[in-house]
Amino acid sequence: MFPKLEGPISNRMKFQGKEVLTWSINDYLGLANLDEVKAVDAEAAATYGAAYPMGARMMSGHTDFHEQLQNELAAFVNKEASYLLNFGYQGIMSAIDALVSKDDIIVYDVDCHACIIDGVRLHMGKRFTFQHNDIESLEKNLERATKLAEQQNGGILVISEGVFGMRGEQGKLKEIVELKKKFKFRLLVDDAHGFGTLGATGAGAGEEQGVQDEIDVYFATFAKSLAGIGAFLAADQEIIDYLKYNLRSQMFAKSLPMIYVKGALKRLDMLRSRPELKAKLWENVNALQSGLKERGFDIGTTSSCVTPVYLNGSIPEAMALVKDLRENHGIFCSIVVYPVIPKGLILLRMIPTATHTLEDVAITLDAFSAIRERLENGTYKRLSAAVSAAMNE
Ligand SMILES: Cc1ncc(COP(=O)(O)O)c(C=O)c1O
């Protein structure tokens, strides 16, 4: 828990003084450590310091550059307008809070990210969950929601994600928007992992699935592909105008500092002008995912860069395994166990980036074969039993 990765953000970083091959950082396009990107960050820091502009956007925290970034983001994701958020987490919570009133009904995917769950908690009216990516379940819940909306004279907000970050599945946005023919609702999509990685231009899961126009409110964070801090909402001008005056996380909080605004403008420019970064990312994703499948690993139903590997084992075995991976194979990836996933399963979650090489992939595949063998021949069970015996002495 709370591991410290040190050194420049890249495919190889330091953990406990030793170099590790890092597969747990969402710097998908490898922008975080590029000299020309850091030069813009440094110049903005030198010119503006860390504070400018002071105050909330509506009061004294607005600048031409905030406006420029919003216009460029909106154009990039093919929407009329956009609005900046200081952090994705608070921002989307606040958006959910602003978009619904007590007579409205929220229908959301049960596997949505914590920020959506927390946003839904702010809602004073009814909410229904649908089974993860299950369109039949969504339809059933839309029937319930429609009845209620008619009685209450309210509306329906459906919430899903472009990419579900644990398992890597894309939200079934195409199927969800099909339901607009049968039901009246608006769709909010959190595309934190899709923005910059999916779609022909990198505009995300909506572009990838050909339904960007049908997403009523599009959300993405700068914390992944754009390797920064901040986030944005994009939608029709009318919706953005409404949100500007009703988003409590922006109305009552200091504006995004210029370092991040100028930094995001630069990163967005890189995203548009350097398609080879996304191409390299996908070369690595395809090599890693096909290599794992060829070796018989279960990578579930991912349809994005997020690469999960499911293994069978207990929590103590998972701990021994991850220690072996880090200390003996020099590989650092995130590990997820019960209660996030069912008991008896171990999920190793890998995030390929444009900074990885095919050699990194080959080393990792060999290491994964080795740890699977040790998991299956009981080495980790014995190791974890020995550790707990020693602790009980
Ligand atoms: C799906 C999803 N939504 C929202 C967020 C929150 O974004 P931020 O880090 O900008 O607060 C994250 C994590 O970064 C995420 O994975």
Side-chain angles (χ1 to χ4, degrees):
M1 292 297 134
F2 299 98
K4 293 177 189 151
L5 278 174
E6 290 165 330
I9 298 169
S10 76
N11 56 335
R12 286 166 194 274
M13 296 178 71
K14 283 222 162 125
F15 176 63
Q16 294 180 343
K18 274 205 253 170
E19 188 181 90
V20 282
L21 194 40
T22 313
W23 292 104
S24 62
I25 289 192
N26 292 303
D27 178 26
Y28 286 114
L29 300 172
L31 298 181
N33 193 41
L34 287 185
D35 286 342
E36 61 181 294
V37 170
K38 288 193 296 185
V40 171
D41 296 347
E43 194 188 315
T47 310
Y48 300 100
Y52 182 78
M54 291 293 284
R57 289 289 296 286
M58 280 171 89
M59 307 305 280
S60 52
H62 189 50
T63 73
D64 283 345
F65 290 111
H66 286 70
E67 231 162 56
Q68 183 188 339
L69 179 56
Q70 287 173 176
N71 293 338
E72 291 191 20
L73 285 166
F76 184 70
V77 298
N78 218 0
K79 293 284 172 205
E80 280 178 13
S82 89
Y83 198 59
L84 293 177
L85 305 164
N86 294 0
F87 286 99
Y89 198 110
Q90 310 164 349
I92 196 166
M93 279 176 68
S94 200
I96 295 169
D97 174 49
L99 288 169
V100 288
S101 62
K102 70 171 183 16
D103 295 328
D104 299 325
I105 297 108
I106 298 178
V107 183
Y108 64 108
D109 189 296
V110 72
D111 274 4
C112 275
H113 189 267
C115 60
I116 294 171
I117 309 289
D118 288 357
V120 172
R121 282 182 182 161
L122 296 173
H123 177 42
M124 311 274 252
K126 280 272 182 200
R127 80 280 322 256
F128 301 127
T129 52
F130 61 96
Q131 293 307 307
H132 173 58
N133 252 348
D134 180 337
I135 299 301
E136 216 173 287
S137 167
L138 170 59
E139 200 167 343
K140 267 193 204 131
N141 282 288
L142 278 171
E143 277 162 17
R144 293 161 79 192
T146 302
K147 270 190 209 134
L148 207 57
E150 280 165 4
Q151 280 164 21
Q152 296 176 174
N153 200 21
I156 300 172
L157 180 67
V158 172
I159 310 177
S160 185
E161 295 190 23
V163 172
F164 287 84
M166 279 295 146
R167 297 192 245 180
E169 292 155 339
Q170 284 182 49
K172 290 192 179 160
L173 306 181
K174 206 167 169 176
E175 287 89 339
I176 294 175
V177 305
E178 263 300 295
L179 291 175
K180 283 190 171 185
K181 292 185 186 145
K182 208 163 154 194
F183 301 95
K184 198 163 171 267
F185 63 87
R186 274 180 165 162
L187 175 63
L188 165 63
V189 171
D190 176 341
D191 201 22
H193 293 270
F195 179 77
T197 67
L198 293 178
T201 69
E207 183 186 43
E208 174 90 16
Q209 298 184 34
V211 293
Q212 185 71 353
D213 287 353
E214 298 292 329
I215 296 173
D216 298 284
V217 184
Y218 178 88
F219 162 93
T221 169
F222 300 162
K224 303 191 193 287
S225 280
L226 288 198
I229 287 186
F232 70 99
L233 294 161
D236 286 351
Q237 186 71 53
E238 186 194 10
I239 298 178
I240 295 298
D241 284 344
Y242 169 80
L243 287 171
K244 265 156 80 167
Y245 292 96
N246 290 278
L247 264 184
R248 293 169 69 82
S249 71
Q250 295 308 115
M251 291 159 68
F252 301 107
K254 185 189 171 302
S255 166
L256 197 60
M258 200 63 101
I259 300 177
Y260 296 113
V261 174
K262 294 277 254 180
L265 276 165
K266 173 65 185 171
R267 289 157 171 79
L268 182 59
D269 185 44
M270 298 287 288
L271 212 150
R272 284 183 305 228
S273 63
R274 300 276 302 275
E276 67 274 18
L277 295 173
K278 184 157 77 69
K280 178 63 189 149
L281 162 69
W282 276 97
E283 182 186 42
N284 291 333
V285 172
N286 291 330
L288 183 66
Q289 294 188 354
S290 59
L292 286 164
K293 277 199 247 170
E294 274 159 24
R295 288 174 189 235
F297 283 98
D298 176 7
I299 64 167
T301 48
T302 180
S303 50
S304 71
C305 303
V306 176
T307 305
V309 176
Y310 299 95
L311 297 165
N312 294 312
S314 63
I315 294 178
E317 282 174 301
M319 294 309 177
L321 176 152
V322 86
K323 194 164 183 272
D324 189 21
L325 256 187
R326 286 179 188 176
E327 292 182 6
N328 302 322
H329 295 275
I331 289 183
F332 191 99
C333 65
S334 304
I335 182 161
V336 184
V337 290
Y338 176 82
V340 181
I341 53 168
K343 244 185 197 152
L345 264 190
I346 301 171
L347 163 54
L348 297 171
R349 179 173 170 269
M350 289 193 285
I351 306 288
T353 72
T355 66
H356 288 100
T357 64
L358 293 180
E359 196 199 344
D360 294 338
V361 172
I363 292 170
T364 305
L365 291 174
D366 285 346
F368 268 62
S369 293
I371 56 148
R372 180 176 54 189
E373 197 180 316
R374 263 172 248 146
L375 181 67
E376 285 173 1
N377 72 18
T379 305
Y380 298 132
K381 197 174 263 167
R382 285 192 295 280
L383 274 175
S384 56
V387 170
S388 52
M391 283 170 73
N392 289 337
E393 267 172 16

